[in-house]
Structure formats: C-alpha cells, structure tokens
Amino acid sequence: MTPDRLPEPGSPHGNGRGAVRSPILRTEGLTVRFGGLTALDNVTLAVPHGEIRAMIGPNGAGKSTFFNCVTGVLRPTSGRIVFDGEDITGLPPHRISQKAIARSYQITNILPGATVLENVRIAAQSRHHSWSLVRHHRAFVDVIDRARAVLDAVGLGDKEEELAANLSHGEQRHLEIGIALATEPKLLCLDEPTAGMSVSETRATVELIRQIATDLTILIVEHDMEVVMGLAHTITVLHYGEVVAEGTPAEIQANPRVQEVYLKT
Amino acid sequence: MTRSAAGYWIGFAVVLALLVVAPLVLPEFWRRFVTEILIWGLLAMSLDLLIGYTGMVSFGHSAFFGLGMYGAAAALLTVRPPNLWLAILYGLVGAGAVAVFVAYFSTRLRDIYFAITTLVFSQIFYVIIFTWTEVTGGENGLGFSQPAFAIPGVVSARFTPVTLHWFVLAVVTVSYLGLRRITQSPFGMVLQSIRENEPRTRAIGYHVERYKIVAVMLSGLFAGLAGVLYALQNKFAAPDFVFFLVSGEVVVFNVMGGMGTLVGPVAGAAFFFLLRELFSRFFTEYYLIPVGIIFTLMVIFVPQGLLGFLRRRLNQ
C-alpha cells in the first residue's frame, strides 16, 4: 500500500475525470511505427490514481499496441511512459512487472499443466524469495497464503488443486486476472477480460473487476460496450493510433466524432 | 507425511538398498555395469534439469561431462599424491567455467537455436581437446592412477571395485536429492513456469534469462561431477566423451526414461545399456539398428518414457 494512493471519492461513476487526482500513468507523445504503419500516433494521456479507464476503438486502432508498450512487450518508437513518477519507457516486461504493473491477456495465457494454486503462487512468489534454491517452495507459507487470498478474491478458492487446463473458459479468464493480481500491482491492464464469455460469465466478471478496482487503477480494453459503459470512469477512444476522444461514458456516447468512427467501420 | 509421500520414501529406500547390495552379489561384469549406469544416470539427471524442468534441450552436455573428466585428470596428474577431493574440485571448476561460458551465450536463444548453440560449443571444446595434444594428450587422452579415498585424520583407503561403487552411489544419491530439492524450490518452480509459458513468466516479473543461465550452470556442474566419477572409475580421460554423440545419447536416456522425473533418465540409461548389451551379442556393431527401432517405437507408444507415469508422485 503506497502512502500516496488517494481514497476513492464517493461514487466511482460519473465523476471519473479525476483532474484533481495525480496521474499514476502518463504517456507523452507515445508513437509506435511498424515499418510504414503507424500503430500509435502521438498518444498523450494521463490516468489518475484509482480510476477505471477504458480504451475503445475499432480493430487495429492501436489498443493492444498501447498495452504492449505500457507492459514492456514493445518499445515505443518515440515518446515517454511515466508510471508513478518514474520513466519506464522501454523497460523489459519483468522490470515493468516489478514496478507494479500487471496485465491479463486477450488470449488466455496461463500455465496449463500446473494447478490453479501454482499458477497464482508462482506469480505471488515473484515478489518474494524467488531465488531460494534449497528450501521446498511449500515452506514459504506467506506466498501460499497470498495466493489463496487471491484465489478467494477471484472466486476460484475451491478449485486450487484443479489443473488450470481443466477449468472452464470463464474460470480460466478469472485465473488470468488472479495471476495478475498476485503480483500486487498498482496498475492492472485488462485486455478484453470478457472475450468469449456468456452473458452470466460477463456479468460475474464485471462484478469482479468492480471489486478489485477498490484498491488499484485499472486500464481496460474491451469490445463489449455494455461492459465499458458500466465500468469505466473515463473512456479513451483510439482510431488509427490516435486519440480521437476522451471523456465520461455519457460524454463519449454523445460525441459525434466517436459515432462517426464506429459507424464507418 | 501423506501416504503417497511415505510411498515415495519407501520406494527410494528399497532402490537404494538394492544398489548398496548390488556389488556384493553381482559378478564383476554386472557390478561394473551398474556403477557405470549410476554415472551415466547422473549425467542424464543433470540434463533433465534443463530438458524436463526448464524446457531447454541441450546437445552440449558432453562438454560439461568431458571438462569434468579432464579437470579430474589435471588434478590427478599435477598434484602429488593424487587427491580425490581435489579431482572433484578441479572437475567442478572445469565444468563450471565451461557452463558459465556456454550459458551466457546460449540462453539468449530459444528452442532449436539454443540446442544448436550448445552443440556447437561442445564441438568447439571437442576440437580444442582433440588437437591440443601437449596438454590433453589429444586423440589418446590422458591416463592416471586412481586416488585413495582419504579424509585426513579419519580414514585413508584404496578404492576396491566395491567401495568405488559405494562412493559413486553416495555421490549420485546426494546429487539426486540435491537436484530434487532444487526442482522443488522456488527457483525450480520458476524453471517449470518458464517451461510451461515463457512470456507469461516474464510478464509476472521474472528475469527469465537469468534463471536460465543459473539452470545451465547448475546442470553443467552436475554433469561435470558425473565426468569426474567416470574418470575415477576408468582412470582415463578421452576426447571421445566430449564428442556430441555422447550428448545425443544422454538426450535419448531422458526421452526413454521419462523427462521431468530425475530418476527416469537414470532408468533410461539403464534400459539403453541393457539393450545395447543384449543386441550387441547378436548384431555386434549393428546393435544401434534394433535399439533405434525400439527407441522410435517408444517415442510413439510411450512418449512419457518408462517412468513418466510416476511423474506426479516423483515430484511431489
């Protein structure tokens, strides 16, 4: 828990512009080019502490590229990423993770051959004594306790001995979020967390995200507009790598430019 | 202790007891056979740390094994009187140094590129050893006398075939328990996470390359220890053992016996040598043909290897 984390003010909905709150994540002129293609074009934005920020836009708008830059998978061609007051531009993924940014993936990305508990335990272990070679991993009870707490939080507490590969799609997506949470992030990037889910699974996932959002900042890419409108404090709309609009869900829904972008594609 | 854990330790004790008694009851040929299997088994186990637990296939283990051998030879030829512990130390330093070198360059690469890099490095060391005749004895290798088993102030005795077997058994058993503990440690769990999903392991905050380097170094040290034991048993070091065919055989032991079990590769080594013994009686130098056919059938029908079915119980 960081001392500079401000308490969530009142209702999380509708007041999410957050201009008064200090940003936990800030990008300045973030640009990514793949050869002749500009995937991100001069993206400058600031996400305040404790906000749920959604990024939307048609396919190929640069949402995943933005995620990949923030989590260190891609090095931006130019521009800066500042997290918690520190320049993290171009750091490799493991360093980014150690700075307390976690992500879940669009495609389920777990350790299929390991148990549910081990998937989360190994993530929790990355914050503590991961270089010990001589003691059994089960001797580090604090790591296991942390993993169990995370599993309870994502609703998989009764499945810990199950092989991850045997979970249902929805459960694997929750495990995915659990792995990210176990690394004790301050910023959690969720890449289409409800992709491929049934209506009831989606509803449960929205509820889960709302719960975990009480003590961290969330950046979410999502195609399901109902999910986005229900969750986000602020929405950033990307189109051809550029920010075309930013505002509350109501503002975005009323924005003619956004309607144009979505109708055109 | 759970019931299955008790089962594991009972099995361990039974196998260990059989191996302790083996040299007392077996005829000379088979006693030697069992001792050699333990040594090759240790080499195979060291490779299992990479293949079975980290998901890296190394074709360079002959280099670590060979350097262990030549390291032991260096100690036994230069220090008078020959000292067992120095032979082990020199062997470990030799293998460790090569392992650091190989690990540093090869772990930047993945999959087949890693495998090829390790193979190339082992061939480089083969060529150096083969051609640097003044130091390594070249093609003929180096011969030396066996050191005595000596703990200053406690005991000093020449090795007999039986006591050497026990010494090898002790080293291999301690190495097995050490490797097993490494695979179950937080570090070992990271290796298995790398095997399962490397990008994910990075994303949750692990510096994957660093873990791989340490894994290759540890693996190289245990391989070097096997080389020292082989040198002690046979009283020579020869370039043939640095050649990549040896690395290939050790990969075969792993596949036959069951990767990711540590004891599987030992069983694989035993099975391979038994087959070779059996078939070379009928097919002489063509024994590799039937062995190859059996290996191919095993890969198709028993892809888990001989002890693969015990994997969960062996790793708990």
Side-chain angles (χ1 to χ4, degrees), chain A residues 31-156:
Chain A
T31 302
V32 175
R33 287 195 197 90
F34 301 113
L37 179 83
T38 304
L40 274 187
D41 193 0
N42 203 20
V43 173
T44 298
L45 55 79
V47 181
H49 274 283
E51 187 178 84
I52 300 180
R53 167 72 60 101
M55 302 194 85
I56 63 171
N59 282 327
K63 308 180 299 280
S64 289
T65 306
F66 183 81
F67 261 39
N68 285 337
C69 281
V70 171
T71 54
V73 176
L74 274 178
R75 180 186 278 271
T77 313
S78 63
R80 256 163 40 104
I81 305 167
V82 179
F83 177 69
D84 225 2
E86 201 180 339
D87 190 334
I88 59 161
T89 320
L91 290 183
H94 68 270
R95 295 276 307 279
I96 300 270
S97 166
Q98 296 291 352
K99 300 277 182 212
I101 299 179
R103 80 176 290 183
S104 80
Y105 291 79
Q106 194 173 349
I107 302 157
T108 304
N109 193 358
I110 53 178
L111 312 180
T115 62
V116 169
L117 179 64
E118 180 53 26
N119 265 276
V120 177
R121 197 204 62 78
I122 191 80
Q125 181 193 283
S126 69
R127 310 296 120 165
H128 319 268
H129 25 246
S130 51
W131 274 103
S132 170
L133 272 82
V134 289
R135 289 181 66 194
H136 198 291
H137 68 272
R138 280 195 288 268
F140 298 94
V141 181
D142 53 333
V143 177
I144 296 178
D145 287 346
R146 165 91 194 141
R148 290 220 166 98
V150 167
L151 283 181
D152 284 338
V154 297
L156 292 170

Side-chain angles (χ1 to χ4, degrees), chain B residues 218-236:
Chain B
L218 284 169
S219 177
L221 282 176
F222 283 101
L225 190 56
V228 173
L229 293 178
Y230 198 85
L232 288 173
Q233 199 206 13
N234 294 291
K235 304 178 207 108
F236 68 79

Side-chain angles (χ1 to χ4, degrees), chain A residues 146-168:
Chain A
R146 165 91 194 141
R148 290 220 166 98
V150 167
L151 283 181
D152 284 338
V154 297
L156 292 170
D158 53 340
K159 305 255 178 178
E160 63 172 56
E161 285 308 316
E162 202 76 59
L163 276 188
N166 296 343
L167 294 183
S168 73

